[in-house]
Amino acid sequence: QVQLVESGGGLVQPGGSLRLSCAASGSIFSINAMGWSRQAPGKERELVAAITRGGSTNYAESVKGRFTISRDNAKNTVYLQMNSLKPEDTAVYYCNAGPYIATLHGGPYWGQGTQVTVSS
């Protein structure tokens, strides 16, 4: 099993920044991809950003140029730097881990979620 611990969510004004962190522990040899998904009320879950151990990245079109994902393999930790935040970014953000980016938004491993609210 894999455990994921998230931190960094909060309330920010439009145009502000937040940095999310996710640390993985347990059977981490099974993890190749880690990333972040989000879900807003009334909307489906979507993949925001993902990264592999080799450094390949993938971003949702809505966040390209604003969000940056990075990974510290030695610490089994991923980070999401979120800049120029918009009200549309308001959602619960979940850390995900699994073997493939293509299915990462569905797990198989999930964090507890952290609320990001962008409002003035």
Side-chain angles (χ1 to χ4, degrees):
Q1 298 295 318
V2 173
Q3 294 79 45
L4 304 173
V5 179
E6 303 161 330
S7 62
L11 173 65
V12 296
Q13 294 183 336
S17 298
L18 282 174
R19 180 174 178 264
L20 305 183
S21 300
C22 175
S25 62
S27 301
I28 56 178
F29 270 118
S30 64
I31 297 174
N32 180 52
M34 294 183 68
W36 298 89
S37 299
R38 68 185 181 186
Q39 187 164 22
K43 297 183 179 180
E44 293 187 351
R45 183 181 65 251
E46 65 173 346
L47 180 68
V48 176
I51 189 169
T52 67
R53 289 187 181 273
S56 298
T57 59
N58 192 44
Y59 296 95
E61 289 294 330
S62 60
V63 306
K64 285 184 177 178
R66 300 188 297 120
F67 292 10
T68 302
I69 190 169
S70 60
R71 182 170 187 170
D72 185 337
N73 288 329
K75 297 181 179 180
N76 293 302
T77 300
V78 292
Y79 307 92
L80 185 66
Q81 180 66 46
M82 304 185 293
N83 298 324
S84 301
L85 283 162
K86 304 175 180 179
E88 308 94 271
D89 296 317
T90 296
V92 177
Y93 284 70
Y94 297 93
C95 182
N96 298 92
Y100 311 108
I101 285 180
T103 56
L104 192 60
H105 64 284
Y109 304 106
W110 292 72
Q112 77 281 1
T114 184
Q115 178 70 47
V116 172
T117 302
V118 185
S119 176
S120 59

